[in-house]
PDB file of all heavy atoms in Angstrom:
ATOM      1  N   MET Z 272      39.878  92.022  98.250  1.00 93.00           N
ATOM      2  CA  MET Z 272      39.279  92.104  99.511  1.00 93.00           C
ATOM      3  C   MET Z 272      38.957  90.837 100.274  1.00 93.00           C
ATOM      4  O   MET Z 272      38.784  90.812 101.446  1.00 93.00           O
ATOM      5  CB  MET Z 272      37.994  92.958  99.305  1.00 93.00           C
ATOM      6  CG  MET Z 272      38.151  94.384  98.842  1.00 93.00           C
ATOM      7  SD  MET Z 272      39.512  95.300  99.493  1.00 93.00           S
ATOM      8  CE  MET Z 272      38.899  95.769 101.129  1.00 93.00           C
ATOM      9  N   LYS Z 273      38.919  89.725  99.484  1.00 91.00           N
ATOM     10  CA  LYS Z 273      38.752  88.434 100.094  1.00 91.00           C
ATOM     11  C   LYS Z 273      40.185  87.777 100.346  1.00 91.00           C
ATOM     12  O   LYS Z 273      40.218  86.525 100.457  1.00 91.00           O
ATOM     13  CB  LYS Z 273      38.021  87.488  99.036  1.00 91.00           C
ATOM     14  CG  LYS Z 273      36.591  87.842  99.021  1.00 91.00           C
ATOM     15  CD  LYS Z 273      35.916  87.026  97.913  1.00 91.00           C
ATOM     16  CE  LYS Z 273      34.532  87.439  97.704  1.00 91.00           C
ATOM     17  NZ  LYS Z 273      33.789  86.667  96.464  1.00 91.00           N
ATOM     18  N   ASN Z 274      41.201  88.557 100.425  1.00 89.00           N
ATOM     19  CA  ASN Z 274      42.599  88.086 100.730  1.00 89.00           C
ATOM     20  C   ASN Z 274      43.255  87.198  99.705  1.00 89.00           C
ATOM     21  O   ASN Z 274      44.103  86.392  99.956  1.00 89.00           O
ATOM     22  CB  ASN Z 274      42.669  87.423 102.055  1.00 89.00           C
ATOM     23  CG  ASN Z 274      43.973  87.461 102.805  1.00 89.00           C
ATOM     24  OD1 ASN Z 274      44.760  88.329 102.440  1.00 89.00           O
ATOM     25  ND2 ASN Z 274      44.192  86.507 103.654  1.00 89.00           N
ATOM     26  N   ILE Z 275      42.886  87.557  98.357  1.00 90.00           N
ATOM     27  CA  ILE Z 275      43.621  86.852  97.184  1.00 90.00           C
ATOM     28  C   ILE Z 275      44.425  87.972  96.565  1.00 90.00           C
ATOM     29  O   ILE Z 275      43.834  88.980  96.231  1.00 90.00           O
ATOM     30  CB  ILE Z 275      42.714  86.291  96.258  1.00 90.00           C
ATOM     31  CG1 ILE Z 275      41.874  85.147  96.906  1.00 90.00           C
ATOM     32  CG2 ILE Z 275      43.394  85.744  94.993  1.00 90.00           C
ATOM     33  CD1 ILE Z 275      40.642  84.755  96.138  1.00 90.00           C
ATOM     34  N   HIS Z 276      45.750  87.791  96.604  1.00 90.00           N
ATOM     35  CA  HIS Z 276      46.675  88.876  96.095  1.00 90.00           C
ATOM     36  C   HIS Z 276      46.404  89.241  94.529  1.00 90.00           C
ATOM     37  O   HIS Z 276      46.142  88.345  93.712  1.00 90.00           O
ATOM     38  CB  HIS Z 276      48.084  88.430  96.160  1.00 90.00           C
ATOM     39  CG  HIS Z 276      49.078  89.607  96.334  1.00 90.00           C
ATOM     40  ND1 HIS Z 276      49.476  90.404  95.208  1.00 90.00           N
ATOM     41  CD2 HIS Z 276      49.609  90.267  97.389  1.00 90.00           C
ATOM     42  CE1 HIS Z 276      50.195  91.274  95.617  1.00 90.00           C
ATOM     43  NE2 HIS Z 276      50.401  91.290  96.958  1.00 90.00           N
ATOM     44  N   PRO Z 277      46.325  90.456  94.203  1.00 92.00           N
ATOM     45  CA  PRO Z 277      46.016  90.836  92.868  1.00 92.00           C
ATOM     46  C   PRO Z 277      47.086  90.411  91.798  1.00 92.00           C
ATOM     47  O   PRO Z 277      46.760  90.336  90.592  1.00 92.00           O
ATOM     48  CB  PRO Z 277      45.950  92.491  92.855  1.00 92.00           C
ATOM     49  CG  PRO Z 277      46.616  92.846  94.083  1.00 92.00           C
ATOM     50  CD  PRO Z 277      46.478  91.765  95.094  1.00 92.00           C
ATOM     51  N   ILE Z 278      48.285  89.938  92.253  1.00 91.00           N
ATOM     52  CA  ILE Z 278      49.191  89.664  91.249  1.00 91.00           C
ATOM     53  C   ILE Z 278      48.846  88.241  90.515  1.00 91.00           C
ATOM     54  O   ILE Z 278      49.202  88.100  89.348  1.00 91.00           O
ATOM     55  CB  ILE Z 278      50.625  89.383  91.964  1.00 91.00           C
ATOM     56  CG1 ILE Z 278      51.754  89.273  90.988  1.00 91.00           C
ATOM     57  CG2 ILE Z 278      50.699  88.190  92.831  1.00 91.00           C
ATOM     58  CD1 ILE Z 278      52.052  90.641  90.312  1.00 91.00           C
ATOM     59  N   TYR Z 279      48.028  87.381  91.267  1.00 90.00           N
ATOM     60  CA  TYR Z 279      47.534  86.202  90.605  1.00 90.00           C
ATOM     61  C   TYR Z 279      46.569  86.538  89.418  1.00 90.00           C
ATOM     62  O   TYR Z 279      46.648  85.885  88.370  1.00 90.00           O
ATOM     63  CB  TYR Z 279      46.879  85.287  91.580  1.00 90.00           C
ATOM     64  CG  TYR Z 279      47.682  84.968  92.814  1.00 90.00           C
ATOM     65  CD1 TYR Z 279      47.455  85.126  94.176  1.00 90.00           C
ATOM     66  CD2 TYR Z 279      48.990  84.340  92.545  1.00 90.00           C
ATOM     67  CE1 TYR Z 279      48.185  84.655  95.165  1.00 90.00           C
ATOM     68  CE2 TYR Z 279      49.821  83.869  93.563  1.00 90.00           C
ATOM     69  CZ  TYR Z 279      49.434  84.118  94.868  1.00 90.00           C
ATOM     70  OH  TYR Z 279      50.272  83.690  95.905  1.00 90.00           O
ATOM     71  N   ASN Z 280      45.725  87.414  89.629  1.00 91.00           N
ATOM     72  CA  ASN Z 280      44.807  87.884  88.688  1.00 91.00           C
ATOM     73  C   ASN Z 280      45.502  88.584  87.509  1.00 91.00           C
ATOM     74  O   ASN Z 280      45.180  88.480  86.329  1.00 91.00           O
ATOM     75  CB  ASN Z 280      43.709  88.662  89.308  1.00 91.00           C
ATOM     76  CG  ASN Z 280      42.665  87.848  90.081  1.00 91.00           C
ATOM     77  OD1 ASN Z 280      42.179  86.984  89.620  1.00 91.00           O
ATOM     78  ND2 ASN Z 280      42.453  88.318  91.251  1.00 91.00           N
ATOM     79  N   ILE Z 281      46.492  89.322  87.830  1.00 92.00           N
ATOM     80  CA  ILE Z 281      47.254  90.168  86.862  1.00 92.00           C
ATOM     81  C   ILE Z 281      47.977  89.192  85.934  1.00 92.00           C
ATOM     82  O   ILE Z 281      47.984  89.350  84.619  1.00 92.00           O
ATOM     83  CB  ILE Z 281      48.168  91.120  87.494  1.00 92.00           C
ATOM     84  CG1 ILE Z 281      47.411  92.305  87.981  1.00 92.00           C
ATOM     85  CG2 ILE Z 281      49.318  91.565  86.479  1.00 92.00           C
ATOM     86  CD1 ILE Z 281      48.118  93.226  88.895  1.00 92.00           C
ATOM     87  N   LYS Z 282      48.517  88.114  86.553  1.00 92.00           N
ATOM     88  CA  LYS Z 282      49.235  87.036  85.648  1.00 92.00           C
ATOM     89  C   LYS Z 282      48.299  86.360  84.700  1.00 92.00           C
ATOM     90  O   LYS Z 282      48.563  86.075  83.417  1.00 92.00           O
ATOM     91  CB  LYS Z 282      49.884  85.994  86.528  1.00 92.00           C
ATOM     92  CG  LYS Z 282      51.263  86.422  87.113  1.00 92.00           C
ATOM     93  CD  LYS Z 282      51.836  85.343  88.019  1.00 92.00           C
ATOM     94  CE  LYS Z 282      53.086  85.820  88.647  1.00 92.00           C
ATOM     95  NZ  LYS Z 282      53.689  84.713  89.497  1.00 92.00           N
ATOM     96  N   THR Z 283      47.086  86.099  85.156  1.00 91.00           N
ATOM     97  CA  THR Z 283      46.043  85.467  84.343  1.00 91.00           C
ATOM     98  C   THR Z 283      45.572  86.383  83.242  1.00 91.00           C
ATOM     99  O   THR Z 283      45.443  85.982  82.137  1.00 91.00           O
ATOM    100  CB  THR Z 283      44.776  85.107  85.310  1.00 91.00           C
ATOM    101  OG1 THR Z 283      45.206  84.332  86.313  1.00 91.00           O
ATOM    102  CG2 THR Z 283      43.784  84.303  84.421  1.00 91.00           C
ATOM    103  N   LEU Z 284      45.447  87.668  83.453  1.00 92.00           N
ATOM    104  CA  LEU Z 284      45.042  88.693  82.484  1.00 92.00           C
ATOM    105  C   LEU Z 284      46.203  88.776  81.338  1.00 92.00           C
ATOM    106  O   LEU Z 284      45.784  89.022  80.281  1.00 92.00           O
ATOM    107  CB  LEU Z 284      44.795  90.049  83.178  1.00 92.00           C
ATOM    108  CG  LEU Z 284      43.501  90.162  83.962  1.00 92.00           C
ATOM    109  CD1 LEU Z 284      43.480  91.458  84.786  1.00 92.00           C
ATOM    110  CD2 LEU Z 284      42.302  90.034  83.008  1.00 92.00           C
ATOM    111  N   MET Z 285      47.390  88.721  81.872  1.00 92.00           N
ATOM    112  CA  MET Z 285      48.419  88.870  80.933  1.00 92.00           C
ATOM    113  C   MET Z 285      48.528  87.584  79.917  1.00 92.00           C
ATOM    114  O   MET Z 285      48.645  87.837  78.720  1.00 92.00           O
ATOM    115  CB  MET Z 285      49.883  88.927  81.637  1.00 92.00           C
ATOM    116  CG  MET Z 285      50.077  90.160  82.322  1.00 92.00           C
ATOM    117  SD  MET Z 285      51.518  90.144  83.399  1.00 92.00           S
ATOM    118  CE  MET Z 285      52.911  90.246  82.193  1.00 92.00           C
ATOM    119  N   ILE Z 286      48.227  86.525  80.401  1.00 90.00           N
ATOM    120  CA  ILE Z 286      48.193  85.253  79.591  1.00 90.00           C
ATOM    121  C   ILE Z 286      46.955  85.393  78.632  1.00 90.00           C
ATOM    122  O   ILE Z 286      47.026  85.021  77.388  1.00 90.00           O
ATOM    123  CB  ILE Z 286      47.951  83.959  80.405  1.00 90.00           C
ATOM    124  CG1 ILE Z 286      49.365  83.784  81.140  1.00 90.00           C
ATOM    125  CG2 ILE Z 286      47.819  82.769  79.491  1.00 90.00           C
ATOM    126  CD1 ILE Z 286      49.372  82.839  82.370  1.00 90.00           C
ATOM    127  N   LYS Z 287      45.778  85.835  79.051  1.00 89.00           N
ATOM    128  CA  LYS Z 287      44.664  86.005  78.263  1.00 89.00           C
ATOM    129  C   LYS Z 287      44.905  87.031  77.191  1.00 89.00           C
ATOM    130  O   LYS Z 287      44.388  86.824  76.147  1.00 89.00           O
ATOM    131  CB  LYS Z 287      43.438  86.399  79.106  1.00 89.00           C
ATOM    132  CG  LYS Z 287      42.770  85.325  80.067  1.00 89.00           C
ATOM    133  CD  LYS Z 287      41.582  85.928  80.730  1.00 89.00           C
ATOM    134  CE  LYS Z 287      40.933  84.765  81.582  1.00 89.00           C
ATOM    135  NZ  LYS Z 287      39.785  85.373  82.349  1.00 89.00           N
TER     136      LYS Z 287
END
Side-chain angles (χ1 to χ4, degrees):
M272 300 315 287
K273 288 175 185 173
N274 204 20
I275 297 166
H276 204 282
I278 196 69
Y279 299 127
N280 287 310
I281 286 168
K282 281 182 180 179
T283 309
L284 287 170
M285 286 170 77
I286 293 162
K287 281 182 180 178

